[in-house]
Amino acid sequence: CVHSIGDKANRETLNVMEPYIRKKDNQDLRWRIEHSQHLHPNDIPRFAELGVIASMQAIHCTSDALFVEKRLGTQRSQEGAYPWRSLLDAGAVVTNGTDAPVELFGRRDHWYWYINDRDQWRGQVPKGLSELGNTRRKDCKTIKGVAI
């Protein structure tokens, strides 16, 4: 597992992992990138192609929403921020973590965010959350990703 925060860091990590993944003797390893929540659209299908697990923390979306568009710009926010649906549609394995102790600990907080689209403690939709183009996914895969 490698922590890679940001689209460039995720691309570089995929680039470093790729030659090792393609070696025949490394087929039984489980490659994972932690903080896959900001990706360049061209790298989204690479997760599935290489078999790299994309790990994101759902609760980060509520804290990131306050500044993500300002830092990434409108287009990058809509195309590559929290791309759960795009990763799943591409065939990638997506998992959710807690990132404790950085964020509130406990799956309850993540469940609350998924179900209610809002931050549990402030009880509101963070400004900017609705503009994140690819984030919302209320379906069985969401529940499975948080529960397992």
Side-chain angles (χ1 to χ4, degrees):
C1 175
V2 177
H3 267 67
S4 294
I5 300 174
D7 52 3
K8 184 176 181 182
N10 274 271
R11 172 171 285 170
E12 292 298 319
T13 302
L14 289 169
N15 289 345
V16 168
M17 289 178 168
E18 186 168 11
Y20 295 100
I21 290 170
R22 299 214 182 272
K23 288 183 178 181
K24 301 255 188 258
D25 58 342
N26 285 327
Q27 297 301 313
D28 61 339
L29 299 176
R30 295 177 58 188
W31 300 85
R32 185 176 91 232
I33 298 178
E34 198 65 47
H35 298 295
S36 302
Q37 57 244 37
H38 301 295
L39 304 173
H40 188 281
N42 293 346
D43 292 322
I44 291 170
R46 293 181 69 199
F47 280 83
E49 291 165 9
L50 297 172
V52 174
I53 299 167
S55 181
M56 293 179 264
Q57 292 68 40
I59 204 162
H60 280 179
C61 195
T62 60
S63 51
D64 287 2
L66 303 172
F67 57 80
V68 69
E69 186 172 8
K70 183 178 180 181
R71 292 184 183 173
L72 299 180
T74 302
Q75 183 175 351
R76 285 176 66 204
S77 297
Q78 291 176 350
E79 292 177 354
Y82 294 94
W84 283 288
R85 173 56 45 210
S86 295
L87 284 160
L88 290 169
D89 290 347
V93 173
V94 180
T95 189
N96 297 283
T98 62
D99 205 33
V102 175
E103 294 281 0
L104 297 169
F105 183 74
R107 293 185 189 279
R108 178 183 50 154
D109 305 309
H110 294 260
W111 280 90
Y112 189 92
W113 180 80
Y114 272 121
I115 294 166
N116 296 295
D117 292 339
R118 62 192 68 242
D119 181 315
Q120 179 175 357
W121 305 109
R122 290 185 291 270
Q124 60 191 7
V125 178
K127 184 178 181 338
L129 183 61
S130 60
E131 287 78 32
L132 295 178
N134 214 321
T135 60
R136 313 311 322 138
R137 41 176 224 116
K138 290 183 179 180
D139 55 27
C140 291
K141 288 183 180 178
T142 299
I143 303 300
K144 184 178 178 183
V146 177
I148 295 177

